[in-house]
């Protein structure tokens, strides 16, 4: 109802890490709501923040920790899940681990 007030409160919420606020701000900047014109760069920044804070980010961290602790099977499987969801970081790490033959020892194979 009051786009300027919404913009103000959403900016405060986004500073506190609220993902939904990032998304709504992305929409507002994309549409130009509460401002003179749309701002694609700002919309992109807020949408990017939403993507970076998604559930896959936690899985990447767990995969990385497993890898650094020498638990290559867990790391491989976690990266594989992220890769299957279409995230490039998971795909790249799976490809590397396959190339280095890391994490494949405990994965059952069909003969």
């Amino acid at each position: 109802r009051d786009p300027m007030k919404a913009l103000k409160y959403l900016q405060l919420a986004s500073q506190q890490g609220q993902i939904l606020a990032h998304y709504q701000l992305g929409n507002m900047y994309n549409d130009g709501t509460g401002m003179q014109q749309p701002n694609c760069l700002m919309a992109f920044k807020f949408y990017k923040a939403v993507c970076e804070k998604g559930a896959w980010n936690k899985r990447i961290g767990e995969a990385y920790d497993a890898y650094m602790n020498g638990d290559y099977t867990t790391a491989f499987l976690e990266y594989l899940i992220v890769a299957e969801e279409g995230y490039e970081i998971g795909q790249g790490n799976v490809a590397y681990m396959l190339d280095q033959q890391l994490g494949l020892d405990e994965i059952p194979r069909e003969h």
Side-chain angles (χ1 to χ4, degrees), residues 4-106:
M4 295 303 290
K5 189 180 267 190
L7 189 62
K8 175 185 171 185
Y9 286 115
L10 286 169
Q11 287 171 336
L12 290 172
S14 75
Q15 292 170 0
Q16 299 298 314
Q18 296 294 320
I19 295 174
L20 186 56
H22 283 86
Y23 177 73
Q24 293 298 339
L25 282 167
N27 287 340
M28 290 181 79
Y29 278 102
N30 188 54
D31 298 336
T33 305
M35 53 202 73
Q36 291 182 345
Q37 63 183 17
N39 185 328
C40 292
L41 181 60
M42 288 300 293
F44 171 79
K45 287 180 180 181
F46 282 109
Y47 289 142
K48 184 176 183 276
V50 171
C51 294
E52 290 173 344
K53 295 186 183 294
W56 66 272
N57 198 17
K58 181 180 177 191
R59 192 174 295 274
I60 290 289
E62 291 170 353
Y64 176 79
D65 289 343
Y67 183 87
M68 295 306 288
N69 289 323
D71 184 358
Y72 299 125
T73 301
T74 298
F76 179 81
L77 293 173
E78 293 292 329
Y79 283 134
L80 184 61
I81 291 168
V82 174
E84 286 292 321
E85 292 175 349
Y87 295 104
E88 188 175 331
I89 190 167
Q91 295 165 353
N93 286 327
V94 165
Y96 173 80
M97 292 183 78
L98 285 170
D99 184 59
Q100 300 298 309
Q101 298 182 357
L102 295 172
L104 304 175
D105 297 336
E106 298 178 30

